[in-house]
Amino acid sequence: MSEQPAPAPAAPSGPLLEDLARSLKRDAAGLVAAIIQQFDTGEVLMLGWMDDEALHRTMTTGRVTFYSRSRQEYWRKGDTSGHVQWVKSLALDCDGDALLVRVDQVGAACHTGTRTCFDGRDLDAVVGHAG
């Protein structure tokens, strides 16, 4: 059975500002990585994916919306788990290919029930030193 290409995410229902839309560098599926960070501690909570519509919903509702690559649908963090992400700020990186979403996380950020998607998942690596 051959793999079929994933359908493109839906066109945005509320357009992004033209300058922002032009600034985004999307992958082949039309998605941009969204790094989710706790606004007051700097803790990195998770990584999700957004297309224009998910970003528009995030910017206009105060809640984080992602585009699920596996389910090929939109999902708003916390709708089923109660672990809501309240938007505090959004930033676009210098290359336009990643978003930083600072949130107030209620409960666990990871679907496994851990605070972050990185808890207990350290990899062995040589530690570098300056100078």
Side-chain angles (χ1 to χ4, degrees):
M1 180 183 216
S2 66
E3 275 190 41
Q4 298 296 318
S13 63
L16 294 175
L17 294 174
E18 190 175 323
D19 287 346
L20 175 57
R22 273 198 314 267
S23 298
L24 291 173
K25 292 183 183 156
R26 302 158 190 85
D27 68 9
L31 303 173
V32 175
I35 302 159
I36 310 301
Q37 180 182 45
Q38 177 63 32
F39 83 101
D40 54 353
T41 65
E43 180 180 33
V44 176
L45 302 171
M46 61 175 288
L47 174 88
W49 297 93
M50 293 184 181
D51 65 356
D52 289 11
E53 177 63 20
L55 179 55
H56 172 74
R57 292 180 189 187
T58 298
M59 293 177 73
T60 59
T61 66
R63 297 263 314 270
V64 180
T65 297
F66 298 103
Y67 185 80
S68 171
R69 297 178 303 167
S70 59
R71 295 187 312 263
Q72 298 178 13
E73 65 185 16
Y74 296 100
W75 61 282
R76 192 168 68 166
K77 188 69 173 172
D79 279 353
T80 57
S81 67
H83 299 164
V84 176
Q85 293 174 339
W86 296 106
V87 175
K88 295 297 181 182
S89 67
L90 285 137
L92 182 62
D93 81 338
C94 60
D95 295 323
D97 59 2
L99 298 161
L100 177 61
V101 186
R102 293 183 183 98
V103 303
D104 190 6
Q105 175 70 50
V106 176
C110 187
H111 70 279
T112 64
T114 57
R115 172 71 182 163
T116 84
C117 291
F118 302 98
D119 286 347
R121 294 170 180 89
D122 292 339
L123 302 174
D124 288 331
V126 173
V127 177
H129 299 280

